[in-house]
Amino acid sequence: DYKLEFVDPSGLHDMEWNDDHPYYDIALADSATAPGVADADLDPRTGAVAGTIVDDTTGDPVEGAWVVAIAPSGIAGGAVTAADGTYTVDGLPAGTYVVTIADPNGGRAQEYWEDSPDYPGATPVDVIAGATATVDAALARP
């Protein structure tokens, strides 16, 4: 009999012992007998922020806008909006973020979600591992 440990070398999933026991439960991990088959379903460690950025006046998608997720320790990730205004910032560790959107080409004002002109007024976004938080915004011209 063997104790099996399942590890994702990319670091995107939590390690577990055989039969869904967390990393700290080796004493409770079920043994596996060789020869045999054992499967694992590893829990994700990261989540994402995704949404659509549009023009406040026309409702048209804003292509090329920068969307940045800011963690308490600094910038955690970012993305550029596609032609249809959509974006995804993935690979974010579970936690709370402030999201800012800037339009470097279209002359629209930078804003922090949700409709704040500055960081202190931003609405925090909770990112949960294995889930995607939706952050949509409409950028206005100054």
Side-chain angles (χ1 to χ4, degrees):
D1 286 351
Y2 298 91
K3 298 286 186 184
L4 297 179
E5 173 185 31
F6 297 95
V7 178
D8 175 2
S10 73
L12 297 177
H13 296 85
D14 287 334
M15 170 267 180
E16 72 178 41
W17 292 101
N18 190 37
D19 211 14
D20 296 323
H21 293 282
Y23 71 92
Y24 54 83
D25 260 353
I26 187 171
L28 300 176
D30 297 336
S31 294
T33 303
V37 176
D39 294 319
D41 184 18
L42 302 180
D43 294 329
R45 283 190 175 172
T46 63
V49 173
T52 304
I53 309 302
V54 298
D55 182 90
D56 188 44
T57 304
T58 66
D60 292 337
V62 176
E63 179 179 8
W66 301 341
V67 182
V68 179
I70 305 168
S73 61
I75 294 174
V80 176
T81 57
D84 63 357
T86 61
Y87 72 92
T88 301
V89 180
D90 56 10
L92 298 173
T96 302
Y97 296 85
V98 168
V99 176
T100 187
I101 304 104
D103 179 16
N105 302 314
R108 296 170 188 88
Q110 178 179 356
E111 74 174 52
Y112 291 82
W113 195 78
E114 178 170 36
D115 294 325
S116 175
D118 55 29
Y119 184 92
T123 301
V125 177
D126 290 325
V127 172
I128 298 167
T132 300
T134 300
V135 174
D136 296 325
L139 297 181
R141 296 190 186 275

